[in-house]
Amino acid sequence: MPKLKTNSGAKKRFVLTGTGKVKRRHAYKSHILTKKTTKRKRNLGKTAIMDKCDVARVKEMIAVI
């Protein structure tokens, strides 16, 4: 079976942790920020852990499997 190519969009958006979890950024922090509260914007800036139902698909896109 040939090698899988890494998905260029996925490699820019996701990072693997040492334990194999996938880190991601929150959505909704790029524009229309005036109506969002400071607390909401602050929490959107933090990274999050990808939900386990999506991890296999993301790992395939970044060619880890």
Side-chain angles (χ1 to χ4, degrees):
M1 188 171 153
K3 292 182 180 180
L4 289 174
K5 281 193 174 180
T6 300
N7 182 299
S8 297
K11 74 181 175 187
K12 296 169 191 171
R13 287 171 172 84
F14 306 113
V15 177
L16 273 182
T17 65
T19 56
K21 295 176 183 174
V22 180
K23 285 198 307 187
R24 65 172 177 84
R25 292 181 58 92
H26 282 100
Y28 307 111
K29 180 119 186 354
S30 57
H31 61 99
I32 313 177
L33 298 173
T34 52
K35 63 175 76 171
K36 295 171 186 151
T37 64
T38 307
K39 178 181 177 181
R40 182 174 166 194
K41 288 185 280 190
R42 182 172 63 244
N43 288 327
L44 287 174
K46 298 175 182 176
T47 57
I49 299 296
M50 176 77 57
D51 200 54
K52 64 180 181 181
C53 63
D54 299 320
V55 167
R57 186 167 23 150
V58 171
K59 283 186 175 179
E60 186 178 309
M61 284 195 285
I62 54 179
V64 173
I65 297 176

